[in-house]
Each structure stands twice: as structure tokens, then as C-alpha cells.
Amino acid sequence: MTTFHRPRDIPQILLSVLFLTLIIVACLWIVQPFILGFAWASTIVIATWPVLIRLQRILFGKRALAVLVMTLLLFLLFVIPIALLVNSLVDGSLPLVHAITSGELTPPDLPWLNSIPLIGAKLYGAWHGLLDMGGAAIMTKVKPYIGTTTTWFVGQAAHIGRFMLHCGLMLLFSALLYWQGEKVAWGVRYFATRLAAKRGDAAVLLAGQAIRAVALGVVVTALVQAVLGGIGLAISGVPYATLLTVVMIFSCLVQLGPLIVLVPSIIWLYWSGDTTWGTVLLVWSCVVGTMDNFIRPVLIRMGADLPMILIISGVIGGLIAFGMIGLFIGPVLLAVTWRLFDTWMREVPPPSDNPEEVLEELEAIEPDRDNQPK
């Protein structure tokens, strides 16, 4: 019996692909306002899932109570500090904005220049000579640029409401994921298995381990260093300790470390004549600045056994490519790719430890090919 193969209907295939593409684009367009909040919630829930399970055991096995406690903790740890920080920044910037807009901004006197050994008096005299010759003219030329910069910063306040909205969505999605975490994880693994069989499932599991490793090794380490550094700043009497602590958090997240804030603070304390607290902060900074070398490797290996260079490259590259959410996306992508590539390589036997045997086998094969009839 002869079987006739029906030719492929190319227009039908193209229209089907186009229809599926339109559906996917339309769905992404609809959920686009919620993607950032859901991404933050997913990373937080994956990183803190063991804490939820432990709380559920403590709270008599009640998932609802554990979800309520975790949501309140997220509210206390994220929303309230961010709201207080934004409020302090706005209140602190109002005098500067008023001084610039009213024309009351004048060049500073800089009396601390006299305290610099050997060259302090000369620097102070040169600075005042510059102000006497054209200080007003200098400020007249600089004020437009300062005003433009201030206007830009004020314009960024429009993004504060959007950021707080994402925080609210993060809390909502976190509560939902805490409540139905097992079902969501099973659905994601099922979808990955449908796409790439066991490799897809392995990729999802590796992504979860990488997220937990980054959250423990990068975020927790940054928070510990920044909080301890902020305590040192507050005790030493450095002004704007809260704002400097926030700066330290970001500098630690991008792997610059807390010393970028602590060292200028130490210098300021010594210049102001407070050598006792300057020495205390110097010793404390040595402890805070080096503790990440001990904490980070231990915390990362609690989530996944990943190379340190992979985590650091993913954090910095992800931050540059995707913004703050790239702190998690970058290391996760690199970790999953590296683990899958490593698994793919190990599917074959490893090469011989003796290179001479390999060369001898190759030389034995080549004469056999030369003796074959052509």
C-alpha cells in the first residue's frame, strides 16, 4: 500500500506562529506593570522559604499564621525603612532647594583648611583670594548648573510613588507565593520539564539554589556590614549616619565594600579634632571591612556551591544590565548556565591523565588510515 505524505501547509504554520506571538506579546503587555514586583517577591520567597517552613512548625503547623508573620516581617524590613529614608531625604533637601531658588547660596568659608599641617594656611589664603577676585562671578556661573541638577533630583521624586507601588505589589505577591508556594514551584518545574525534560527541571532547581546563594551570600553580607558600619558611625558621632548607612548598603551590594564610606568618615573625625573616636572608628572599620571574606563564602555555600568569581561577576554585570533586580538575575543566569554546561561536559568520560598515551593512540590510528585502500 502506498502512503502519500501530505505537504506542509506553510501559510498555516506561519499564521499559527504569528497568532501565538501576538498572544504572548499581549499577555506580557498586560502583566508588565506587575513584573518587577513579582520578580522581587519571587527572589525573596525563594530565599526565605526555609524560614517560612520553620515558622510553620513553630506555629503549630498553621500556614496562615506563618504567612502572616512573614508578611509583617517583610513590611517591617522593607517598606517602613524605605518610607523613612525617602521622608528624610525630602526633608533634608528642602533647605538646599530653597537656598538655590532664592539666590542665598554663597561660597563656603572652609575654615578647616587651616587645620591641615604645613600647607593649611596657604590653602586657606588661596581659597579666599579666589573668592575675593571672583567668588560672586564663580557662583553666578555655577548656579544654573546647580539649579538644573536640583531640578533633576526633584523630578526623580515622581518615581517614588511608583517604587512604593512596587513594594506594595511585592508584599502582596510574597504573601500569595508563601501561601501557595508548593503548587507554584510544581507548576514551574512541570513547565520546564515539558520544555527540556530532566534538563529543564534541573535548570529550575539550580536557579532556586542560585537565588538562595545570592540572597545569603551577597544581600545578607551587605546588610550585616552596612548595619555594623552604621552603628560605628552613629556611636562615633558622624553626622547623617542613617543616610551614610544606606549608601554603604548599596556600595556593599555592588561589591565596593563599606570602606568607601567609612574611610572619609575617619578622615573627617581626625580633621575635626576628635582623634579618640576617629581611632575607635578606624579599628571598627578594619573589622567591618574584612568580615565579608569570612561570612560570604559560608553563606553562599549554604545555598549552592558556586565559584566566588561567578557570583561577583553576575552581581556586577547584572546590576549594570538590569538595574537592582540584576543583583539576582545576573548570578542566577551565570550559575544555571555554568552548572548545565558542567553537567553536559561530565556526560562523557574524563580525558586520560597521561597525555603520552593519547598521543600514542593517535599515532597508532594514523598509520592504519594510511594503509587503507583508496
Side-chain angles (χ1 to χ4, degrees):
M1 179 178 181
T2 304
T3 303
F4 295 96
H5 295 281
R6 183 179 179 182
R8 294 183 178 180
D9 191 349
I10 301 300
Q12 180 185 7
I13 296 175
L14 293 177
L15 290 175
S16 300
V17 172
L18 178 61
F19 181 71
L20 292 175
T21 303
L22 291 176
I23 290 179
I24 294 173
V25 171
C27 292
L28 291 176
W29 196 0
I30 293 173
V31 302
Q32 187 268 337
F34 310 101
I35 291 177
L36 184 59
F38 185 78
W40 275 112
S42 301
T43 55
I44 292 173
V45 170
I46 291 174
T48 59
W49 186 258
V51 180
L52 173 72
I53 299 301
R54 189 171 299 177
L55 275 177
Q56 184 176 348
R57 293 173 183 173
I58 296 174
L59 298 174
F60 313 103
K62 301 293 184 180
R63 174 61 64 88
L65 293 178
V67 172
L68 180 61
V69 172
M70 291 298 297
T71 306
L72 290 177
L73 288 176
L74 292 180
F75 181 77
L76 294 175
L77 292 175
F78 286 93
V79 178
I80 291 181
I82 291 173
L84 293 177
L85 174 63
V86 170
N87 186 39
S88 62
L89 289 176
V90 172
D91 292 341
S93 62
L94 288 179
L96 178 61
V97 174
H98 176 72
I100 294 174
T101 54
S102 61
E104 300 175 356
L105 188 65
T106 57
D109 186 66
L110 302 183
W112 55 268
L113 290 174
N114 287 316
S115 61
I116 301 177
L118 300 178
I119 61 172
K122 294 182 179 180
L123 290 176
Y124 185 76
W127 171 249
H128 276 268
L130 179 64
L131 295 183
D132 294 338
M133 288 187 297
I138 293 174
M139 293 307 300
T140 302
K141 294 181 179 180
V142 171
K143 279 180 182 179
Y145 299 99
I146 298 178
T148 304
T149 305
T150 307
T151 304
W152 181 85
F153 277 107
V154 173
Q156 300 306 306
H159 300 286
I160 296 176
R162 185 183 305 173
F163 183 74
M164 298 304 296
L165 175 62
H166 287 309
C167 289
L169 292 175
M170 182 269 293
L171 287 176
L172 176 62
F173 288 136
S174 296
L176 295 176
L177 290 175
Y178 281 136
W179 182 257
Q180 300 290 338
E182 292 87 356
K183 293 182 179 179
V184 175
W186 184 85
V188 174
R189 292 182 60 188
Y190 201 165
F191 177 73
T193 303
R194 181 65 181 86
L195 289 179
K198 291 184 178 180
R199 290 184 182 274
D201 190 18
V204 173
L205 297 176
L206 291 175
Q209 293 178 0
I211 290 175
R212 190 167 294 124
V214 173
L216 292 174
V218 177
V219 179
V220 174
T221 304
L223 291 177
V224 170
Q225 284 188 292
V227 170
L228 293 178
I231 292 174
L233 293 176
I235 294 176
S236 302
V238 177
Y240 305 106
T242 303
L243 181 60
L244 293 176
T245 302
V246 176
V247 175
M248 275 194 292
I249 292 176
F250 286 105
S251 65
C252 292
L253 286 175
V254 299
Q255 306 304 303
L256 294 178
L259 296 181
I260 194 173
V261 175
L262 294 175
V263 170
S265 301
I266 295 170
I267 296 174
W268 180 83
L269 286 174
Y270 277 109
W271 276 0
S272 62
D274 199 350
T275 57
T276 302
W277 284 113
T279 304
V280 171
L281 185 60
L282 175 62
V283 176
W284 185 246
S285 300
C286 293
V287 176
V288 174
T290 58
M291 66 188 308
D292 60 324
N293 297 324
F294 308 99
I295 297 178
R296 187 187 292 119
V298 176
L299 293 178
I300 286 178
R301 280 166 176 77
M302 289 175 61
D305 190 6
L306 299 173
M308 183 63 62
I309 186 64
L310 193 74
I311 297 296
I312 296 177
S313 301
V315 167
I316 298 176
L319 182 67
I320 296 174
F322 303 105
M324 289 301 295
I325 192 62
L327 290 171
F328 295 93
I329 295 178
V332 167
L333 290 177
L334 291 183
V336 172
T337 304
W338 178 77
R339 291 291 293 271
L340 291 178
F341 181 72
D342 183 68
T343 303
W344 173 75
M345 286 197 308
R346 295 179 183 275
E347 289 181 351
V348 299
S352 176
D353 295 334
N354 190 356
E356 296 180 358
E357 294 181 359
V358 178
L359 295 176
E360 291 176 358
E361 293 178 0
L362 181 61
E363 292 175 356
I365 294 174
E366 290 180 352
D368 294 339
R369 290 180 178 175
D370 296 337
N371 295 331
Q372 289 180 359
K374 297 181 180 180

